Amino acid sequence: MSLWNWDNDWVQRNAINEMDQELSDLSRRQSQRLHRTKREFDQSLRKVGSQIDSVSGRIDTVLEWTELRFQLLEFDEYSARKQIRKSFRALAGGMPATAPEVEDVPGYWMTPAATAMLRLLLRQGMADLNTGLETARERDPIRAELFNLCVGVCFDQPSFTEVAVLRLLDEAPDLGLAESGQVAAGWRAMWEHTVRGEFGASASDRLTDRLRALFDSEGVADDENLAWDEAIRGFGSDGAPLGKPEALRALAEHLRAADGVEPAEAPEPDERWRLYLQELIEEPSPAELPLVEAMEELHLPDDEIQRSEPTWAASAGTVGDLLRRDLFDPDAHPAQRELALRLCAPLLRSRVEVLSAGAVSTAPITRVVKRPGGITVEVGSDGHDKAELEQAERALTVRADLGGPSTALAVGIGGALGLLALISALFGVWFLAVVLALAIAIPVWRYLKGRSDQARRQEYHDSQIESLRTELARVRDQVGEDEKAREKRAAEAREARDELLAVVPEAASSAVETNS
């Protein structure tokens, strides 16, 4: 009974321990599940909180933008622009339009300029035309003239277009907004259309004189020369040296295509003028500009027409950059290429001559014949240096080790062995005498073998010398052929260069001389 009771207690304790282990595992799993659920809940709370903060910040941004918008609506310039925009849109769409009845805003150029031009386009009287345009010019001459130009181009008013172009050509190419020394995009567009003859002969002459003065005043710095050199080298040759006749002829053919250019009869419409006109109408006044810039900094989808940085004022490049682009761009209008060629001819000639002079080397061609052991001989078209050849032959002789076996030593050893064999025979020691007599063959064999090796080394040495001299003669002939081929290429390059320079004028002529 005591043994049985002891076994029963052990079974009970074991069962209790297993139940404790199961309860512990269950508790641990529940605890892990609880921690995981709590972590996911915290993450969800943080995500919702960030979304709430983002939405709250977005709402604040919208409220700030709305407040700025309401402030902008209070400006008289904004109301005037709204009426002017409505009239121009109706006129451009072929719908009934009337000149807006807007009051003049002191200091704002748009109101008098737009009112005068709309009355002209709508044929509602021209009594105040000159007064309105002069008032606009006094307030902002650049924007007023650019506005007249855009209206003249978009609504076919050539008289206003030509006058506006002549006045704008006298303004700084940066139009007061682009970076100093840069050409504004609007001035560049006017340049392109003027050189094509679309704004009249007077504008073309004025543009030529203006660009010549600007290009000469800029001067040519070292980096500008490098840019011209890269443009010349890279034209039609994938960056190959200018010395290649094909590259020179390709450039000559490209420039020859600019000779005798006739203006296009029916140029395609340029949408830039419509865009510039829209930007000028919608551009905020100086008083509105801080509000518009603050609205743009909020990065909300504001009206596209509200722009503090119009595209017509963006930098298109320097005068030199644009002339170089017109000259080398295969897709440029031929009239632009012809004008660029006339203005840049002296610089282009000088850079072509400099690059051509250094494109083909005139230094003697040399080749180096090498042999193992650092043996070198330099060869030119007139042959090789005799001292170098002698030094190379000495080095080959030293390496060949032409020394042979000593005859005196072989004779001495053979004689000594024969004498010992004779003495042994006299004393009756025949075995030793025979051995010594046979031993005489050893020095004889070594001597003959040494002479054979010496003859073989001498033959190899002679072949090396002969191979070196043959190689020198072959390389000398090859160098002569290379120099002849180089001279032929140089002659072709000079001929192609002369052909190219014949296309380039020797000096930039004035507009009056060119037209006459």
Side-chain angles (χ1 to χ4, degrees):
M1 289 295 294
S2 61
L3 180 60
W4 184 89
N5 288 335
W6 183 86
D7 291 338
N8 190 31
D9 292 341
W10 179 83
V11 172
Q12 290 179 355
R13 285 196 301 271
N14 190 34
I16 292 173
N17 290 335
E18 290 179 354
M19 293 179 62
D20 289 341
Q21 184 65 33
E22 292 177 358
L23 291 174
S24 177
D25 293 342
L26 179 61
S27 176
R28 184 172 62 258
R29 287 195 297 272
Q30 290 178 347
S31 178
Q32 292 176 351
R33 189 180 300 111
L34 178 62
H35 285 298
R36 185 169 58 255
T37 304
K38 184 176 181 300
R39 183 170 61 254
E40 293 174 354
F41 181 71
D42 292 340
Q43 292 176 352
S44 300
L45 286 179
R46 284 195 295 271
K47 184 176 180 180
V48 171
S50 63
Q51 292 177 350
I52 292 175
D53 294 339
S54 176
V55 172
S56 176
R58 192 71 172 173
I59 292 175
D60 293 340
T61 301
V62 173
L63 292 176
E64 183 179 356
W65 182 87
T66 304
E67 182 179 354
L68 293 172
R69 180 71 172 179
F70 277 112
Q71 294 180 24
L72 186 64
L73 293 176
E74 297 176 0
F75 282 86
D76 295 335
E77 295 94 323
Y78 183 87
S79 300
R81 280 200 308 275
K82 184 177 180 181
Q83 297 297 324
I84 293 170
R85 179 175 66 248
K86 181 178 179 181
S87 298
F88 269 107
R89 285 182 174 175
L91 190 62
M95 297 182 293
T98 58
E101 297 294 335
V102 294
E103 297 182 0
D104 185 27
V105 180
Y108 188 40
W109 68 272
M110 173 56 67
T111 307
T115 302
M117 293 301 292
L118 282 171
R119 288 176 180 173
L120 170 66
L121 296 175
L122 296 172
R123 304 183 184 279
Q124 295 181 1
M126 299 177 59
D128 298 332
L129 176 63
N130 291 333
T131 302
L133 295 180
E134 288 299 328
T135 301
R137 293 188 186 106
E138 291 176 359
R139 296 176 179 179
D140 196 324
I142 291 177
R143 286 177 172 81
E145 292 300 345
L146 185 59
F147 176 79
N148 293 340
L149 174 57
C150 293
V151 172
V153 173
C154 294
F155 296 96
D156 194 18
Q157 297 292 325
S159 59
F160 285 92
T161 299
E162 293 179 5
V163 173
V165 168
L166 291 174
R167 291 182 175 178
L168 283 174
L169 286 174
D170 291 332
E171 297 290 343
D174 58 15
L175 296 182
L177 289 183
E179 298 179 7
S180 178
Q182 298 284 314
V183 177
W187 210 90
R188 170 62 174 176
M190 179 182 62
W191 169 352
E192 294 176 358
H193 287 268
T194 301
V195 75
R196 299 173 191 176
E198 299 174 16
F199 295 152
S202 299
S204 298
D205 295 343
R206 183 75 63 84
L207 173 67
T208 302
D209 294 336
R210 188 83 171 96
L211 290 178
R212 179 181 293 108
L214 291 170
F215 185 61
D216 293 342
S217 65
E218 284 185 358
V220 182
D222 292 339
D223 56 346
E224 186 74 9
N225 281 332
L226 291 176
W228 278 88
D229 293 347
E230 290 299 324
I232 294 172
R233 286 196 192 97
F235 182 82
S237 59
D238 298 328
L242 187 65
K244 297 187 66 174
E246 297 81 5
L248 293 170
R249 292 194 176 94
L251 182 56
E253 185 64 26
H254 171 75
L255 298 180
R256 192 179 292 111
D259 190 18
V261 176
E262 295 294 335
E265 296 181 358
E268 296 182 359
D270 192 340
E271 293 298 325
R272 287 180 294 182
W273 300 115
R274 184 181 296 274
L275 174 62
Y276 295 162
L277 177 59
Q278 181 181 4
E279 290 178 343
L280 286 167
I281 295 175
E282 301 300 341
E283 185 179 9
S285 66
E288 300 170 286
L289 186 59
L291 291 177
V292 173
E293 291 178 344
M295 293 170 65
E296 291 176 347
E297 290 178 357
L298 296 176
H299 304 291
L300 287 180
D302 192 8
D303 296 336
E304 294 182 359
I305 54 179
Q306 293 290 349
R307 303 186 64 175
S308 60
E309 297 181 357
T311 58
W312 60 264
S315 297
T318 64
V319 172
D321 294 338
L322 296 174
L323 285 174
R324 187 170 60 253
R325 185 187 309 167
D326 290 346
L327 186 61
F328 291 100
D329 186 2
D331 298 327
H333 193 280
Q336 297 173 218
R337 189 185 312 156
E338 190 269 341
L339 176 60
L341 178 60
R342 283 193 283 124
L343 296 180
C344 304
L347 177 60
L348 180 61
R349 290 183 67 90
S350 64
R351 299 318 303 169
V352 168
E353 291 174 352
V354 169
L355 293 176
S356 298
V360 179
S361 175
T362 58
I365 298 177
T366 59
R367 300 285 188 270
V368 177
V369 177
K370 298 181 180 180
R371 287 295 182 267
I375 301 174
T376 59
V377 180
E378 189 175 275
V379 185
S381 59
D382 55 349
H384 56 272
D385 187 86
K386 293 182 178 180
E388 286 189 350
L389 177 58
E390 292 175 358
Q391 183 179 358
E393 290 179 348
R394 285 196 300 268
L396 290 174
T397 301
V398 171
R399 287 176 51 198
D401 188 17
L402 299 178
S406 174
T407 304
L409 178 62
V411 171
I413 295 175
L417 291 175
L419 180 60
L420 291 176
L422 181 60
I423 294 173
S424 298
L426 292 176
F427 284 97
V429 187
W430 297 105
F431 176 77
L432 180 60
V434 172
V435 172
L436 291 174
L438 294 175
I440 296 174
I442 295 176
V444 174
W445 172 78
R446 290 185 60 85
Y447 174 76
L448 295 176
K449 184 177 183 301
R451 290 301 298 270
S452 176
D453 292 342
Q454 179 188 16
R456 188 170 56 254
R457 289 194 298 271
Q458 183 67 45
E459 182 181 358
Y460 178 74
H461 170 261
D462 293 342
S463 66
Q464 288 288 91
I465 296 295
E466 183 64 24
S467 173
L468 176 60
R469 292 179 177 178
T470 303
E471 181 69 11
L472 293 177
R474 188 192 67 79
V475 172
R476 180 193 59 198
D477 296 340
Q478 182 64 46
V479 169
E481 294 177 0
D482 292 344
E483 288 190 347
K484 291 179 181 178
R486 184 182 67 179
E487 182 59 31
K488 181 179 179 181
R489 291 196 304 271
E492 293 176 352
R494 287 192 296 268
E495 182 181 352
R497 180 203 61 191
D498 295 340
E499 180 182 346
L500 171 60
L501 293 179
V503 181
V504 181
E506 294 187 1
S509 57
S510 65
V512 177
E513 293 172 347
T514 302
N515 292 333
S516 62

